[in-house]
Amino acid sequence: MFKAIYLTKGEDGSTVASVKDLNESDLPVVEGGVTVAVDYSTINFKDGLAITGKSPVVRKFPMVAGIDFCGVVKESDHPRWKAGDQVILNGWGVGESHWGGLSQCARVSGDWLISKPSSLSPKDCMSIGTAGYTAMLCVLALERSGVSPNDGEVLVTGASGGVGSFAISILSSLGYQVVASTGKKDEHQFLTSLGAKEVIDRELLSVAGKPLQKERWAGVVDTVGSHTLANACASTKYGGVVTACGLAGGMDLPLTVAPFILRGVSLIGVDSVMASKEVRENAWSRLGNDLKLSVISQIAKVVDLQCAISTGGDILKGVIRGRVVVDVNK
């Protein structure tokens, strides 16, 4: 028997989340499947949508929530993995169309797993989680596009969230001048402690602005979308690069082509769900090398499975700072 956050549909069509006892025989059958004893999972924005039913994230019911986990292989039908291997999973539709990681046990395709970096503990890995991994994907995209610390300021929006917090820490450790955008005035000290040289009010970016604005940003990590992303593009310097990985402010994008055809701005979409094994391994290797472990305790807190359900609602309300790690065995 094992415990998991189990999602079902109520008679009124609403999503019902509960901590349920399950048997390993209940786990899905997967070709090349690997059964993992989960140590830690997390609560991400997408998990909040799934647990509350605020958005149709879950493709079929019943579903075990959780888009990521870190744990130890129990059994494997995959040639790459054997019992005792320590592994990480991010994305691949778990917690959406395939049973996920907010559980003491999971069975997934071995193709979806990567090895845990030796420099990080299981708790460290899920303190970083999909949010930190996505932040690193954004940083790698900026680097590939030639944005260097000498080019000027890099804007991070949704700065007090999981992706934003890690983006600030990673960028500052690499020598970039980071400007953090947040609507939480009481988080300014936290953001500067992570390495932000300046904190600006999100209201400067979250309302409709001019198609072209004063050039400021050499690069952008945007987790918000909508007007925030549009304004970030409009105020990016000639030849600058904007990475987009989130939609906390909305899925719309009310901008013009002006930044792209008059300033040569690049807008790069960053996806963490279906990224290749090579991309994932590179990102996690960089996280193990570039991220200061002392920062992790500043960004993450730990809850148990039962508390994870209410945390799903809190993360959508924007009242969660940083990351929430779930100790699934508490």
Side-chain angles (χ1 to χ4, degrees), residues 19-44:
V19 176
K20 185 177 176 68
D21 290 319
L22 298 168
N23 289 300
E24 285 194 28
S25 59
D26 296 321
L27 290 168
V29 176
V30 186
E31 184 177 355
V34 178
T35 303
V36 179
V38 178
D39 293 318
Y40 293 94
S41 184
T42 66
I43 293 287
N44 298 279

Side-chain angles (χ1 to χ4, degrees), residues 90-146:
N90 303 107
W92 292 115
V94 298
E96 301 175 68
S97 56
H98 187 92
W99 281 19
L102 284 166
S103 172
Q104 294 172 332
C105 192
R107 183 178 294 138
V108 298
S109 168
D111 291 340
W112 301 345
L113 300 169
I114 64 169
S115 296
K116 180 187 76 64
S118 58
S119 59
L120 299 171
S121 71
K123 182 180 175 184
D124 290 337
C125 289
M126 285 299 100
S127 296
I128 296 167
T130 293
Y133 151 64
T134 303
M136 180 55 80
L137 292 178
C138 291
V139 173
L140 292 172
L142 292 175
E143 289 181 343
R144 284 196 306 272
S145 300

Side-chain angles (χ1 to χ4, degrees), residues 148-152 154 168-178 195:
S148 74
N150 295 327
D151 291 332
V154 175
I168 292 167
S169 178
I170 295 165
L171 287 164
S172 64
S173 71
L174 294 172
Y176 289 87
Q177 303 173 58
V178 184

Side-chain angles (χ1 to χ4, degrees), residues 27-236:
L27 290 168
V29 176
V30 186
E31 184 177 355
V34 178
T35 303
V36 179
V38 178
D39 293 318
Y40 293 94
S41 184
T42 66
I43 293 287
N44 298 279
F45 190 83
K46 188 179 285 186
D47 296 318
L49 293 173
I51 288 170
T52 62
K54 296 291 186 183
S55 182
V57 167
V58 178
R59 306 303 181 189
K60 60 181 180 180
F61 291 87
M63 178 60 58
V64 170
I67 68 170
D68 53 12
F69 64 74
C70 184
V72 178
V73 172
K74 294 180 66 177
E75 298 176 355
S76 174
D77 294 325
H78 192 281
R80 186 179 179 192
W81 307 108
K82 64 182 185 303
D85 288 341
Q86 293 185 300
V87 293
I88 298 172
L89 183 141
N90 303 107
W92 292 115
V94 298
E96 301 175 68
S97 56
H98 187 92
W99 281 19
L102 284 166
S103 172
Q104 294 172 332
C105 192
R107 183 178 294 138
V108 298
S109 168
D111 291 340
W112 301 345
L113 300 169
I114 64 169
S115 296
K116 180 187 76 64
S118 58
S119 59
L120 299 171
S121 71
K123 182 180 175 184
D124 290 337
C125 289
M126 285 299 100
S127 296
I128 296 167
T130 293
Y133 151 64
T134 303
M136 180 55 80
L137 292 178
C138 291
V139 173
L140 292 172
L142 292 175
E143 289 181 343
R144 284 196 306 272
S145 300
V147 179
S148 74
N150 295 327
D151 291 332
E153 297 173 318
V154 175
L155 171 69
V156 176
T157 68
S160 63
V163 177
S165 298
F166 276 106
I168 292 167
S169 178
I170 295 165
L171 287 164
S172 64
S173 71
L174 294 172
Y176 289 87
Q177 303 173 58
V178 184
V179 177
S181 168
T182 183
K184 301 176 182 176
K185 292 182 172 55
D186 56 347
E187 298 291 9
H188 286 209
Q189 184 176 349
F190 167 64
L191 297 174
T192 55
S193 74
L194 295 180
K197 77 175 189 68
E198 183 182 348
V199 181
I200 62 174
D201 195 315
R202 70 181 176 200
E203 293 299 325
L204 297 174
L205 298 167
S206 62
V207 296
K210 295 179 180 178
L212 278 180
Q213 301 168 29
K214 182 178 179 181
E215 297 179 54
R216 182 169 182 183
W217 318 118
V220 177
V221 174
D222 178 64
T223 71
V224 179
S226 193
H227 288 293
T228 296
L229 178 54
N231 286 318
C233 290
S235 52
T236 294

Side-chain angles (χ1 to χ4, degrees), residues 241-280:
V241 180
V242 179
T243 61
C245 66
L247 45 70
M251 290 186 66
D252 60 316
L253 185 52
L255 82 171
T256 72
V257 298
F260 312 113
I261 65 173
L262 298 179
R263 290 184 181 165
V265 171
S266 298
L267 175 59
I268 300 176
V270 174
D271 168 61
S272 63
V273 176
M274 303 301 291
S276 70
K277 177 170 67 71
E278 292 74 21
V279 168
R280 293 166 185 270

